[in-house]
Amino acid sequence: MKRVDERREVKGLGEKMQTSKSFRMDDFIAGLIGGASSVVVGHPLDTVKTRLQAGKGYKNMLHCILTIYRKETVMGFFKGMSFPLASITVYNSAVFGFFSNTQRLISKYRYGDGRHPCGMMDLTLASMLTGLVSVGLGAPVDLVKIRLQMQTQMVLAENLNLAGSLSSGSNMPLRSIAMPSQSLYRGPIHCISSTLQTEGLQGLYRGAGAMILRDVPGYTLYFIPYTLFCNLLKPDASSNLHPGAIWLAGGLAGSISWVTATPADVVKSRLQADAALQRKYKGIVHCIVHSYRTEGAQVFFRGASVNAIRGFPMSSTMFLTYELSLQFFRSF
């Protein structure tokens, strides 16, 4: 995880730069750099994941990729990336900075020394608190990202409330009618302002409850596996962790975390993609029940394969860039 020097047995990069300070800013800066690199690497598959979970008409991951490419070209995979690049970098900075400093505070409170290695329960507590706090910043970011990703070049008639506007004698099913249209949102700022105008401030936090269900256990299964894999990949207790080991441990931890979080992620994505113009879900429970009744239990694992594939390069890049950045900052 982050500053693996002072708290656990994983004393990888930055090991020799231990400090007694209970709060450090370099964790936030390193998280910012790691967050930017992970967004660039993972956004195309993140778009595929969102379409699979909240959209319709996609048979599987490959079909979704081909459909996006044919209808929207390569640029379709990068829809909504400008906002995550600017905001998720800050989000990851907060997540990694908060997690690292929380570990130090726990160690200082329990053992009297912020450099004391955290035990498994300490790690679990720090991870869960990080997941809970992250929702405050992450929910609006995710909502805007998902609504921008869900925009396509065709708007279904049912989404424009045109049901019943055709002649009653028409045999054409309404759900198959599509009409060329400009995107609903011109960009992230327009999406935010439109959401505030139509749904209020609470609209930006739609799906926050499902995000808590995803991120509290999700970050626990993110940071703890990373720590365990780093321990396993270390040649001995006194040596530094090789960058390749950090890359592998981060990738494996990311895949595990994202796959296990898929059911809650599906519910969150559907709630956040559900605009006020034609609200489909009343809340978390209604979304779960409605999705199960109409699409079966398998719907909650939609996008799991994408999450597993996407989680590896995103997380490996995140952790490696984070750790190398810390090593650089602490070399001065």
Side-chain angles (χ1 to χ4, degrees):
M1 227 127 306
K2 16 230 111 156
R3 350 206 329 220
V4 286
D5 41 295
E6 47 194 286
R7 53 194 100 120
R8 355 171 175 121
E9 292 113 12
V10 188
K11 300 176 186 158
L13 304 174
E15 177 177 25
K16 57 183 178 294
M17 280 74 76
Q18 290 185 359
T19 175
S20 59
K21 291 182 179 180
S22 58
F23 182 85
R24 291 190 63 109
M25 282 301 299
D26 51 3
D27 291 297
F28 289 94
I29 299 172
L32 192 76
I33 298 171
S37 61
S38 67
V39 169
V40 174
V41 170
H43 192 80
L45 281 177
D46 185 62
T47 299
V48 175
K49 181 219 45 152
T50 300
R51 296 284 182 91
L52 283 171
Q53 292 179 340
K56 291 183 179 180
Y58 303 113
K59 298 176 183 177
N60 49 49
M61 179 176 68
L62 180 60
H63 179 249
C64 182
I65 293 173
L66 293 175
T67 301
I68 294 174
Y69 178 74
R70 288 169 182 167
K71 292 185 176 181
E72 306 169 56
T73 72
V74 174
M75 296 307 297
F77 296 102
F78 293 92
K79 277 190 174 180
M81 193 181 82
S82 60
F83 185 66
L85 195 57
S87 56
I88 292 183
T89 53
V90 177
Y91 170 79
N92 277 314
S93 170
V95 165
F96 275 72
F98 181 86
F99 177 76
S100 294
N101 283 287
T102 299
Q103 283 186 297
R104 277 189 287 277
L105 288 173
I106 291 174
S107 292
K108 189 173 182 180
Y109 175 77
R110 292 195 61 188
Y111 312 109
D113 185 358
R115 296 173 296 178
H116 190 283
C118 279
M120 192 58 65
M121 290 303 298
D122 303 327
L123 270 176
T124 302
L125 177 59
S127 301
M128 293 178 70
L129 287 174
T130 300
L132 184 62
V133 170
S134 70
V135 175
L137 179 61
V141 170
D142 250 18
L143 181 133
V144 173
K145 173 180 68 70
I146 283 176
R147 291 192 176 180
L148 290 174
Q149 286 174 326
M150 289 301 294
Q151 293 189 122
T152 61
Q153 294 179 356
M154 303 298 287
V155 178
L156 294 178
E158 67 177 47
N159 291 335
L160 290 177
N161 292 324
L162 293 181
S165 64
L166 295 181
S167 170
S168 58
S170 173
N171 294 322
M172 186 180 296
L174 287 176
R175 291 178 181 271
S176 67
I177 301 173
M179 55 199 311
S181 174
Q182 294 183 351
S183 296
L184 181 62
Y185 305 113
R186 295 190 295 270
I189 302 300
H190 182 240
C191 180
I192 293 172
S193 63
S194 297
T195 302
L196 288 173
Q197 289 175 6
T198 57
E199 304 173 57
L201 181 61
Q202 67 271 22
L204 289 176
Y205 284 88
R206 182 163 174 79
M211 196 170 182
I212 291 175
L213 295 178
R214 184 195 73 174
D215 285 357
V216 171
Y219 275 115
T220 303
L221 292 172
Y222 186 58
F223 289 118
I224 290 181
Y226 175 77
T227 304
L228 296 176
F229 285 130
C230 283
N231 281 329
L232 290 173
L233 294 170
K234 254 186 125 177
D236 54 76
S238 60
S239 62
N240 289 333
L241 203 60
H242 190 275
I246 297 172
W247 179 86
L248 180 60
L252 291 173
S255 292
I256 292 171
S257 175
W258 274 108
V259 168
T260 54
T262 297
D265 193 43
V266 170
V267 177
K268 180 200 71 71
S269 295
R270 292 191 166 204
L271 287 170
Q272 291 181 325
D274 195 23
L277 183 63
Q278 189 178 2
R279 182 102 339 137
K280 186 177 181 180
Y281 306 114
K282 299 176 182 177
I284 296 176
V285 175
H286 182 249
C287 180
I288 294 172
V289 173
H290 184 274
S291 298
Y292 175 76
R293 287 177 177 173
T294 56
E295 301 173 68
Q298 67 271 17
V299 70
F300 298 109
F301 297 94
R302 187 175 290 174
S305 58
V306 182
N307 274 338
I309 297 171
R310 161 183 166 269
F312 191 98
M314 276 189 68
S315 299
S316 60
T317 302
M318 177 72 225
F319 276 109
L320 180 60
T321 309
Y322 173 84
E323 297 282 15
L324 292 179
S325 297
L326 278 185
Q327 184 184 37
F328 174 76
F329 294 144
R330 294 174 188 177
S331 65
F332 295 101

